[in-house]
Amino acid sequence: MLKKFKEILHGVLPKRLHIGVSPAGITLLRTRKGFTSEAVVLADAALPQGSTASPDTVAEQLRTLLAQTNCRGLVTTIVLADPLVRVFMVTPPRNPTRLQDCQAAAAMRFQTLYDTPLADWHLSADWNANQPFVACAVPRSLLDSLKQASGEHRLALIEISPHFVVAWNRWRARLAPGDWFGVMHDGTLTLGVTKHRRLAAVRAAAVPTPALMDTRWLSGHLMREALRLDVPPPPRLQLCGSAPNQWVMSTEESLKCVWLSPQAHDLGRPSVPSGVALASAGFQ
């Protein structure tokens, strides 16, 4: 009787589609919550080499994968790998009187950092008039292509977000005072430097292949970033994404690394393909 009830409940529980998009490929992950969380990889396909994840190429590959799977009508979130977007910190202007003042400060910061017109990018932020806030910019062409492909397959698209932002929102409550936060994906480590448990800086760096087996590189990298930002180095780095086991298992006394996804069922563990880890970043 109980088994039959579970089967009936399983049939009516809502499904969700999580799409991960990176310069290397696209992953479709379907999830469902019930007595236990369920996740099924529907598709995991590489983009053509040299395509540089152009919006047209991404949209065409997404259309192909959606046509091969039964996803129509599913509530959908899309997670973009950090190299496809721009994530940065903004200091609010003095004595702002309206939201437009913070928006102007973010636009100026973007122009200073990347020397490219903001008109071609969609800007969103955790707007704050009293202290520095995180902002992110997504190419409008990529955003429009993803929305169009999703609409053609009648997906209920509710969110398109950068990997770092999704991971930060998921795990920020777990950070203790002094902890730094890190997201590792496809050889890129994006650091969230914290102050009073709030983001104070966001720094991204490519990780050399030998460094994946050497925790001395990680501790040295964090020390260099702390010196650049004139802040104390962290006693602990909380990691998520495809973090190397060697970093987490390190016995170095100067730095403790904690992997935020230790559960065997969690799809963010290092042993799974990076595309799956990307698509599952916001799945809880």
Side-chain angles (χ1 to χ4, degrees):
M1 184 70 176
L2 180 59
K3 181 179 179 181
K4 185 63 176 179
F5 173 73
K6 288 183 177 180
E7 290 176 352
I8 295 174
L9 184 60
H10 182 82
V12 299
L13 287 172
K15 301 175 184 177
R16 289 207 173 197
L17 179 66
H18 305 265
I19 302 174
V21 180
S22 76
I26 300 176
T27 299
L28 271 59
L29 182 77
R30 188 184 64 207
T31 63
R32 183 188 345 226
K33 287 186 177 181
F35 290 97
T36 59
S37 297
E38 174 190 284
V40 178
V41 178
L42 300 179
D44 185 18
L47 291 170
Q49 290 187 357
S51 67
T52 64
S54 69
D56 290 342
T57 303
V58 170
E60 190 59 34
Q61 181 70 283
L62 180 56
R63 289 187 182 95
T64 299
L65 297 181
L66 291 173
Q68 296 171 354
T69 55
N70 183 20
C71 300
R72 284 183 178 272
L74 292 186
V75 174
T76 302
T77 61
I78 299 178
V79 178
L80 303 176
D82 292 330
L84 297 177
V85 302
R86 302 289 184 265
V87 180
F88 56 100
M89 299 299 298
V90 180
T91 300
R94 292 185 178 181
N95 303 317
T97 59
R98 52 184 184 167
L99 175 61
Q100 287 85 344
D101 295 334
C102 290
Q103 291 173 331
M108 291 181 61
R109 180 62 173 163
F110 179 87
Q111 179 70 37
T112 300
L113 288 174
Y114 306 110
D115 192 25
T116 187
L118 184 58
D120 297 332
W121 298 72
H122 174 79
L123 180 67
S124 59
D126 183 18
W127 307 108
N128 194 311
N130 301 313
Q131 50 193 332
F133 55 86
V134 64
C136 61
V138 181
R140 291 187 183 276
S141 56
L142 177 60
L143 204 60
D144 292 343
S145 295
L146 291 172
K147 288 180 178 178
Q148 182 176 353
S150 300
E152 290 171 2
H153 288 266
R154 299 186 180 181
L155 301 180
L157 183 60
I158 61 172
E159 183 181 17
I160 300 177
S161 298
H163 189 190
F164 178 83
V165 173
V166 172
W168 169 258
N169 288 337
R170 178 180 179 182
W171 296 111
R172 60 188 301 178
R174 290 275 297 271
L175 271 64
D179 288 353
W180 284 14
F181 178 68
V183 178
M184 184 72 180
H185 182 259
D186 277 354
T188 297
L189 174 63
T190 304
L191 290 175
V193 180
T194 65
K195 183 177 182 180
H196 305 306
R197 299 181 69 178
R198 290 183 57 89
L199 277 177
V202 179
R203 312 281 289 191
V207 180
T209 301
L212 299 175
M213 306 293 292
D214 184 3
T215 56
R216 292 174 299 178
W217 179 90
L218 180 62
S219 58
H221 177 65
L222 297 184
M223 181 64 71
R224 289 188 293 272
E225 292 296 342
L227 290 172
R228 291 189 183 102
L229 297 167
D230 194 24
V231 296
R236 184 168 68 169
L237 175 65
Q238 300 246 31
L239 285 166
C240 67
S242 304
N245 285 322
Q246 286 75 9
W247 290 2
V248 180
M249 297 170 60
S250 171
T251 57
E252 282 197 33
E253 297 181 359
S254 60
L255 174 66
K256 181 179 181 181
C257 291
V258 177
W259 181 30
L260 284 165
S261 306
Q263 297 88 352
H265 69 271
D266 195 292
L267 292 167
R269 63 188 187 278
S271 59
V272 302
S274 61
V276 178
L278 179 65
S280 65
F283 173 51
Q284 300 184 54

